[in-house]
Amino acid sequence: MADPLRLRPEDRPDFEAVLNLALTTADVQKALSTDPTGRATARLRLRALGDADEIAAAASGEYGAYLALRTSAQPGPPRHPAAGALLPALTVLTPLVAAASAAVLLVLGYLLQLTDAEGALPGSLVTAGWVLTLIAGISALLAFAALLRTAIRGDDESAHAARLQQPRLNWQQALLDRGMLPCLRQCLDEDPAIRGTPPLVVRTTDPHATAGPKEHPSHSGRPE
């Protein structure tokens, strides 16, 4: 198995779902609301996606358990893909073709027997018709067995998916608590547009408003 600390491509949607959830938490939303342009949110999202492997490493234990369980039940590739695609088609078509052929042969055979046709042809047609009827019945039973097996396999896959659900949720929760939220909060602390120093306020002095009577030009040279 590959290094579980590295996020698998098929798990990227789950990572992005956890990221979207983290962006909606109260403290993150409050911090991002100070930037009405939305650029801080975009920067935060891009940085989290770029540091996906480092963030996922915080939940490596849960991710490793989830990957191990998911890999253990993955079916291997079929040895003969062409045969795997041909057998279902034959299973469905064989009963239909055999039944149709049997019906045609039986009708012709019995019609020839009713018309008192000479020779062994009517009997051969009837015999072939009943043989094809037997083949149609057997192939129909095989098709039913194949459908039943497919249904059982589908139930097994559903049960396996249900077993995977809890480890997947455990990994997502650990990723949110130990990886995503600490990373986002650190990025918010480092973003000057959100946690930077407040802008300097330049105080201007109005000489007409603040100057005392002695400093006002109109009072120069006048005694108190």
Side-chain angles (χ1 to χ4, degrees):
M1 187 176 65
D3 186 1
L5 300 183
R6 293 189 60 84
L7 190 65
R8 300 287 183 88
E10 59 269 23
D11 295 324
R12 281 275 178 175
D14 286 345
F15 181 86
E16 294 181 7
V18 173
L19 173 59
N20 294 332
L21 180 61
L23 290 174
T24 61
T25 55
D27 57 336
V28 176
Q29 278 284 336
K30 182 178 180 181
L32 292 175
S33 64
T34 60
D35 181 16
T37 64
R39 296 177 181 176
T41 303
R43 288 194 301 269
L44 197 61
R45 180 183 295 275
L46 288 177
R47 182 167 178 181
L49 292 176
D51 297 340
D53 290 334
E54 289 77 6
I55 297 174
S60 59
E62 290 80 1
Y63 189 46
Y66 170 53
L67 286 182
L69 184 59
R70 187 176 69 186
T71 306
S72 62
Q74 285 182 350
R79 296 182 179 180
H80 303 287
L86 183 60
L87 286 178
L90 291 177
T91 304
V92 175
L93 292 177
T94 300
L96 298 177
V97 174
S101 302
V104 172
L105 293 177
L106 289 174
V107 170
L108 289 177
Y110 283 118
L111 284 177
L112 291 176
Q113 287 181 354
L114 290 176
T115 58
D116 295 331
E118 296 180 356
L121 180 60
S124 300
L125 292 177
V126 171
T127 302
W130 284 114
V131 171
L132 287 176
T133 302
L134 181 61
I135 294 175
I138 294 175
S139 58
L141 290 176
L142 293 177
F144 177 76
L147 290 176
L148 184 61
R149 180 182 178 184
T150 302
I152 294 175
R153 184 178 300 175
D155 293 338
D156 292 340
E157 292 178 356
S158 300
H160 178 65
R163 289 194 299 269
L164 281 179
Q165 187 63 24
Q166 189 58 46
R168 180 184 178 190
L169 292 176
N170 294 340
W171 166 58
Q172 291 177 346
Q173 188 64 44
L175 179 64
L176 176 67
D177 295 337
R178 301 201 304 266
M180 193 67 70
L181 285 176
C183 177
L184 295 186
R185 287 162 182 161
Q186 180 181 357
C187 294
L188 289 174
D189 291 337
E190 297 173 356
D191 195 331
I194 297 177
R195 287 290 186 263
T197 56
L200 296 177
V201 178
V202 180
R203 297 182 179 180
T204 58
T205 303
D206 187 356
H208 298 282
T210 59
K214 295 182 181 180
E215 298 177 358
H216 198 280
S218 60
H219 294 165
S220 60
R222 294 183 182 182
E224 290 290 334

